[in-house]
Amino acid sequence: MTRLASPGLIGRDAQLHVLLDAISGPPAVILVQGEAGIGKTRLVRAALDLLPEGDHTVLIGHCHQIREPFPYGPVFDALRHVAGALPETAALNPVTGALRGYLPELAGHLPPAPSPPPLDDPRAERHRLFRAVHALLAAAGPVVLVVEDLHWADDGTRDLLRFLTDQPPPGLALVVTFRREGLPVPGLPFGHAYRRPAGVRSEVITLTPLDVEGVRNLTRALLGRSTLTSDFVTKLRDRTAGVPFVIEEVVRSLLDDEGQLVGGEEEPEVLERMAVPPLLREAMAEQLTGLSPAALHAVHAAAVLGLAADEQLIAAVSGHPAGDGLSQALKAGVLLEHEDGQYGFRHSLAQQAVYEAIPGPDRRLTHQRAVTALSALDPPPLVQLAYHARRAGDFAAWQRHGPAAADRAAAIGDIPLAVEVLAGMLADPKLPHDARGPLALRLSRVAAIGLSYRRVVRSLRHLLAEDFLSRHVRGEARLNLGVLLSNQAGTVAAGRQEILLALPDLHDRPSLAARGLALLAMPPWGDEPLATHEEWMNQAEKLLATVEDQDPELTAAVHANKVSLAMMLGSPDALELAAALPANDPSAAVRRQVARGYSNLFDAAIGLGHYAAAERFADQSRRIAEETGALYPEFLVELSSIRLDLLTGHWEGLRERAVTAVEMTPDAPLLASDARLALGMLALARGEWEEAIEHLVAAGVNDVESGFLPVAAFASGGLIELHLTRDCLDEALAEADRAVARLRRKGMWVWGDQLVPPAVEALLKAGRTGEAADLVAEFGAGIEGRDAPSAHAGLATARGAIARAGGGHEEAARCYAGARAAYEAMPRPYSVARASEAEAGARLAMGDRARAADLIADACERYAGLGATHDAARCRHLLREIGPGSAPRRGRKGRSGVLSPREAEVARLVALGRTNREIAEVLFLSRRTVDTHVARVLQKLGVRTRNDVKEPRPDHRPGPTSPESGG
């Protein structure tokens, strides 16, 4: 056989131009898709070769069909070579220290590592690692990160790449190659739909087979000839389907020892006469016929191993010395030398073709030798051992190595691989029935602490539908399926149903049954009334009491849920119960449950208005989590803190944090409900109606079974206010009726603080005064005796509305003033401003214009400080209406090129695509005034049309607005 020169890129000029252009203009995400052998890798390498030397750091990682547990392996393999592009250690983000354990080669370049995350908190570990990778790539930019064969990637790698694509570092160009038909989810290379962020270039490059002219040019390049007959090229195109790699292999197999086509290029019949079919399998078979037995043994061993291997391993698996045979296989171009003295095929298609050509008995013997050789390695590659044992027909070894491989993967946090191994075994018809139960239970336990759930849910549901599982195995597996559905999958309703179904099978396993009941006892989810949740908690405690030798960790878990329930209810003794949690228990496992309990208490205290206590719970959760390495509770605290900062007026950077939280939780949208709420309420305060509706609805207002009720009720209140602002009374009433009915059924009136006041306003506006009064009375009765400052402040606000509607303006002012004082004490500045506005309305009705003006001015100042531009504009409008002496002072005229506060508000709304009429409505201005402001914005920003206006940068803004800022 004569080796061919590697041809240049043929027939891909347009694709190469697009790829090179995108790589040169980061941030960019480029998807290169095509069937096996179509030339994806060659296209990428050609583009990289054309980059100016030294301008970019190029990092390349590969996904493998058979892999050992190594979380995010393809990306980390690429990052090993980034050292030369990194700045000094002191200039790196400290979070990059989390990569030390994964990238020992970079240890001298990275900051100190944080405390290691626990193995039972994979989501928190993932969050920190993803941030670390993002920060490292940002520091090394401009970077071209290439990930080859994404169709073989593990779930973790897809999640990491999806995180990078959502908000890529400014200097990153991410290039991924994949076979569309090989993706776990067809059409979704990252596992979820990719939506291009603003400012990020995105390209999808699809490589298709070469046409006849492309085949002609490729064959010319391969043979070094200028002419080929049309008949030969047409026949070659027909037989190879125009796939470049197959064309190369076929042409290679047609060459004689002199490098000439057998029979001459003028004879297309040579393809038929040589009996060499155009597919790769036959092309490889033709290549193998010229190899010596020694070379054939080496090639067969490499095909059975599947992965590139060193000479010693190839020799052991082949059963013969590898030296001469391996050399001949390399000279013939059948095998190639890879990095670090590893040898393998140039393409997985070639490996597959050779593997399938090996006679069955020979394949099994070679797999047996692979098991023997790999068993001698330290540590043994358990995934490969399980693979080879199964194909060798050694089912006992397969059943031994497979679970061991899953255990090792889980132990280092590669839960997706553990799930893949176990689910693959369970799907194999050769697995004996008596082995399926233990493996199913092992799969459910591993998956319950991991992130992968789709395949596991399918596997567990299939197994649970069979009759061979014992009752104990079935019960625990179903319980773990319920946990998986409720948490990772975000389908709380389905998860709770599985837990309910598991309880009968766990009737003689009280500890596990108690765990399930304690999970059901949390009232934020489902449509059961509060009494049902309380009964579930009572049953859980009674079951635990029957266990003589209690599991301390399980007992702590149930106790933490009991205290959490008391806090959610606003029980007067909740704070006392919280103080009794075993925060100083010597068991780290127990204290991890306490950390989780404190994170629940933090969320519950936010809902009640106990913000100082909430901060203490958050601090305790973080402290214990840090001591025990339990970062997941800390992760939950971070998410809940978004709602706390929304309420307490810490709005600076809040929108960006909320957007990040939404992006971080695509697989568990319930975790993003706080972030969705914050985004919706911030948009409402700025007058961005469509964005507000989108986020508030996404916060769970329509999801009765799975929505988190404290957040959903809050979001419904925001929607009612939005509809009232836009004079959409019917929509406001519909939302109020539905949301109040949901809260009434649950019986958790302490969560009505943000819902009942706007619902009352809607009812009053519709003339349903009696219903409004009944709702206020029901609300008051529901929170009587509850330690819930926020609910009591909301009750005062609602009572003020009832008094105002009945003409009792003095009583209304008193109620609003009481609410304002309560909000001030929490503190909750936005609600203080709203209460001030409401009291001002009552004062105006009483004729006290001076006090009303003071209250409105105070509200305006608070709104302006928060960035609630729509609310601030409304207050300025009210002050102008009150009359002389109360109008706000005009702000200083903006410097040339610097927008005034009002112009900045107008520019932001223009950038959002608002018309001048819509801007006038949001900012309470006349159309003529808005026309003037838009003209000034265009002039100061130096743009010609409103389509060119972007949201103002800080250097275009004059600084914080004030209530006096006019315009």
Side-chain angles (χ1 to χ4, degrees):
M1 297 285 177
T2 301
R3 300 185 65 178
L4 299 176
S6 179
L9 200 63
I10 303 296
R12 309 296 192 198
D13 290 348
Q15 294 91 335
L16 179 62
H17 175 76
V18 171
L19 177 57
L20 185 61
D21 189 51
I23 289 176
S24 302
V29 176
I30 306 104
L31 311 180
V32 182
Q33 65 178 358
E35 62 184 285
I38 202 69
K40 301 182 292 295
T41 297
R42 179 167 291 173
L43 174 70
V44 173
R45 301 305 166 89
L48 296 178
D49 289 342
L50 292 174
L51 291 174
E53 186 174 357
D55 281 6
H56 297 77
T57 298
V58 177
L59 306 173
I60 302 177
H62 300 269
C63 305
H64 298 291
Q65 190 172 15
I66 306 173
R67 63 186 182 89
E68 290 300 312
F70 179 44
Y72 321 113
V75 176
F76 286 155
D77 279 341
L79 290 176
R80 297 183 194 284
H81 306 286
V82 78
L86 294 178
E88 295 295 326
T89 303
L92 287 175
N93 187 320
V95 75
T96 57
L99 297 172
R100 276 178 167 265
Y102 295 87
L103 299 170
E105 299 88 344
L106 301 183
H109 301 270
L110 297 175
S115 300
L119 300 178
D120 58 348
D121 281 334
R123 197 186 304 275
E125 178 185 7
R126 179 183 73 164
H127 177 65
R128 186 169 66 176
L129 285 175
F130 286 11
R131 290 175 52 228
V133 171
H134 189 284
L136 193 70
L137 290 171
V143 170
V144 181
L145 173 60
V146 179
V147 179
E148 295 266 25
D149 296 322
L150 187 64
H151 50 278
W152 284 329
D154 60 282
D155 289 353
T157 296
R158 284 194 181 86
D159 290 341
L160 173 53
L161 293 177
R162 188 167 63 248
F163 174 77
L164 294 176
T165 60
D166 285 344
Q167 289 294 331
L172 175 65
L174 174 65
V175 182
V176 298
T177 70
F178 60 92
R179 304 180 200 166
R180 183 182 179 88
E181 68 277 7
L183 295 172
V185 182
L188 300 178
F190 300 118
H192 289 268
Y194 168 65
R195 296 176 177 84
R196 180 180 65 85
V200 177
R201 178 162 182 178
S202 179
E203 297 289 349
V204 178
I205 299 174
T206 302
L207 297 184
T208 57
L210 299 176
D211 57 15
V212 171
E213 190 60 28
V215 173
R216 182 191 306 278
N217 292 333
L218 176 58
T219 309
R220 284 173 177 170
L222 288 168
L223 297 175
R225 299 166 184 259
S226 59
T227 60
L228 291 169
T229 66
S230 296
D231 287 346
F232 177 82
V233 173
T234 301
K235 178 72 71 173
L236 185 60
R237 172 62 172 76
D238 291 342
R239 292 302 184 93
T240 62
V243 177
F245 179 72
V246 181
I247 293 170
E248 291 186 37
E249 296 303 318
V250 169
V251 171
R252 181 178 284 107
S253 69
L254 294 176
L255 296 180
D256 60 21
D257 292 339
E258 303 299 323
Q260 302 297 316
L261 282 174
V262 177
E265 69 274 14
E266 299 299 328
E267 300 181 29
E269 292 78 9
V270 68
L271 292 171
E272 300 290 349
R273 191 168 61 245
M274 292 294 294
V276 179
L279 302 177
L280 177 62
R281 181 182 296 105
E282 287 76 7
M284 290 304 301
E286 181 68 15
Q287 279 191 286
L288 297 182
T289 58
L291 297 180
S292 67
L296 202 58
H297 288 311
V299 172
H300 284 178
V304 167
L305 283 168
L307 302 174
D310 59 28
E311 181 177 350
Q312 183 179 0
L313 183 57
I314 290 175
V317 174
S318 70
H320 297 81
D324 292 341
L326 181 59
S327 297
Q328 185 185 355
L330 291 170
K331 290 177 181 178
V334 178
L335 297 180
L336 296 178
E337 183 172 1
H338 298 274
E339 294 181 359
D340 302 326
Q342 306 283 302
Y343 304 95
F345 293 87
R346 66 161 50 85
H347 195 283
S348 61
L349 278 178
Q351 178 267 331
Q352 180 181 346
V354 173
Y355 180 84
E356 293 176 356
I358 303 172
D362 292 344
R363 277 204 309 267
R364 285 192 294 274
L365 288 173
T366 309
H367 278 298
Q368 288 178 1
R369 289 193 293 268
V371 171
T372 301
L374 294 171
S375 297
L377 300 180
D378 185 22
L382 294 174
V383 174
Q384 295 179 58
L385 283 170
Y387 167 80
H388 291 295
R390 171 64 182 85
R391 281 151 186 77
D394 189 347
F395 296 112
W398 173 49
Q399 293 179 59
R400 186 172 65 253
H401 292 308
D407 288 346
R408 176 179 292 178
I412 66 170
D414 195 348
I415 303 300
L417 179 57
V419 167
E420 179 183 335
V421 170
L422 293 173
M425 294 184 72
L426 285 167
D428 196 313
K430 292 291 187 180
L431 185 70
H433 272 268
D434 60 358
R436 291 182 177 274
L439 279 188
L441 194 55
R442 191 188 299 251
L443 175 63
S444 72
R445 290 169 178 167
V446 168
I449 64 171
L451 301 173
S452 304
Y453 64 86
R454 293 181 182 87
R455 187 177 183 184
V456 181
V457 168
R458 289 195 300 268
S459 296
L460 291 179
R461 282 181 165 159
H462 176 74
L463 290 166
L464 288 168
E466 303 291 338
D467 295 330
F468 64 84
L469 295 179
S470 69
R471 178 170 56 81
H472 285 170
V473 170
R474 185 174 63 244
E476 185 174 353
R478 195 180 293 280
L479 174 63
N480 289 337
L481 173 61
V483 174
L484 189 67
L485 290 169
S486 298
N487 296 338
Q488 289 91 329
T491 53
V492 178
R496 296 170 75 246
Q497 184 62 32
E498 293 294 342
I499 293 172
L500 286 169
L501 291 173
L503 293 178
D505 287 331
L506 300 173
H507 70 82
D508 55 350
R509 303 184 71 184
S511 295
L512 286 173
R515 177 192 180 199
L517 287 166
L519 288 170
L520 293 171
M522 296 295 96
W525 296 279
D527 64 349
E528 299 89 356
L530 175 60
T532 301
H533 295 284
E534 292 177 316
E535 178 57 26
W536 279 329
M537 182 56 71
N538 291 334
Q539 291 180 30
E541 290 187 284
K542 289 177 181 178
L543 284 175
L544 273 186
T546 66
V547 180
E548 293 184 2
D549 187 16
Q550 293 185 2
D551 182 329
E553 181 181 5
L554 181 56
T555 302
V558 175
H559 182 47
N561 279 22
K562 177 184 177 181
V563 176
S564 299
L565 176 59
M567 181 63 69
M568 291 176 188
L569 292 172
S571 298
D573 60 347
L575 293 175
E576 182 179 348
L577 290 172
L581 286 172
N584 298 314
D585 192 279
S587 167
V590 169
R591 283 184 287 130
R592 278 196 289 268
Q593 293 297 334
V594 173
R596 180 186 61 82
Y598 277 133
S599 69
N600 290 343
L601 291 170
F602 171 58
D603 188 273
I606 293 172
L608 298 177
H610 285 301
Y611 303 141
E615 292 283 11
R616 292 195 299 272
F617 290 139
D619 291 342
Q620 289 170 306
S621 182
R622 294 188 186 102
R623 176 181 60 80
I624 299 173
E626 182 67 25
E627 291 173 356
T628 61
L631 294 183
Y632 187 46
E634 188 174 0
F635 181 62
L636 294 179
V637 166
E638 174 60 28
L639 291 176
S640 296
S641 68
I642 292 175
R643 179 158 42 111
L644 177 62
D645 286 347
L646 171 69
L647 291 166
T648 55
H650 296 93
W651 289 13
E652 183 69 30
L654 184 59
R655 185 180 186 280
E656 291 73 18
R657 285 174 53 205
V659 168
T660 300
V662 171
E663 293 167 348
M664 278 298 300
T665 54
D667 294 328
L670 286 179
L671 290 177
S673 60
D674 285 304
R676 289 287 193 178
L677 172 68
L679 290 170
M681 296 305 295
L682 291 174
L684 178 60
R686 295 192 301 265
E688 298 166 6
W689 312 132
E690 299 307 320
E691 181 179 348
I693 291 173
E694 174 191 351
H695 290 298
L696 291 175
V697 170
V701 298
N702 296 322
D703 193 344
V704 176
E705 291 291 338
S706 298
F708 188 67
L709 184 52
V711 170
F714 193 159
S716 289
L719 286 172
I720 296 169
E721 291 186 6
L722 186 152
H723 293 316
L724 290 176
T725 300
R726 302 179 77 181
D727 292 326
C728 300
L729 182 57
D730 289 342
E731 289 86 346
L733 288 170
E735 184 65 33
D737 290 341
R738 186 196 56 76
V740 168
R742 180 178 177 185
L743 192 65
R744 179 180 290 122
R745 174 169 175 76
K746 181 64 69 174
M748 291 291 294
W749 286 104
V750 292
W751 294 337
D753 61 312
Q754 302 281 356
L755 170 61
V756 172
V760 168
E761 292 286 355
L763 291 171
L764 292 173
K765 192 170 184 179
R768 293 160 58 178
T769 307
E771 292 179 58
D774 290 343
L775 175 58
V776 173
E778 187 178 10
F779 183 32
I783 66 174
E784 186 177 358
R786 302 293 184 183
D787 186 7
S790 185
H792 288 287
L795 177 62
T797 302
R799 285 174 171 167
I802 295 293
R804 184 201 65 219
H809 300 299
E810 186 173 349
E811 173 63 15
R814 187 186 64 80
C815 289
Y816 290 134
R820 178 166 52 84
Y823 289 133
E824 191 79 72
M826 290 182 195
R828 209 157 90 187
Y830 184 79
S831 295
V832 171
R834 294 300 298 271
S836 294
E837 270 195 276
E839 184 183 352
R843 297 289 179 186
L844 280 174
M846 296 164 58
D848 190 352
R849 298 172 67 85
R851 178 57 179 156
D854 289 342
L855 287 167
I856 294 173
D858 177 73
C860 187
E861 182 176 359
R862 292 178 188 272
Y863 289 141
L866 290 169
T869 51
H870 171 69
D871 296 304
R874 181 180 62 247
C875 286
R876 286 193 291 266
H877 178 73
L878 288 172
L879 286 171
R880 286 194 296 270
E881 286 190 338
I882 290 176
S886 59
R889 298 189 303 275
R890 298 183 62 86
R892 291 175 297 176
K893 186 175 180 179
R895 305 187 306 275
S896 176
V898 177
L899 303 179
S900 71
R902 177 53 56 79
E903 290 166 351
E905 294 171 6
V906 170
R908 182 179 59 80
L909 293 170
V910 169
L912 290 173
R914 296 296 184 83
T915 65
N916 285 9
R917 180 183 60 80
E918 291 170 332
I919 295 172
E921 291 177 359
V922 169
L923 298 181
F924 297 90
L925 300 173
S926 69
R927 280 286 303 277
R928 179 174 296 180
T929 300
V930 172
D931 292 343
T932 301
H933 284 312
V934 170
R936 290 175 180 170
V937 165
L938 296 180
Q939 180 184 14
K940 289 186 176 182
L941 296 183
V943 297
R944 298 180 62 186
T945 70
R946 63 193 300 129
N947 292 331
D948 299 321
V949 176
K950 308 298 181 184
E951 187 162 353
R953 302 193 310 269
D955 57 343
H956 282 152
R957 298 178 181 178
T961 59
S962 71
E964 292 80 14
S965 298

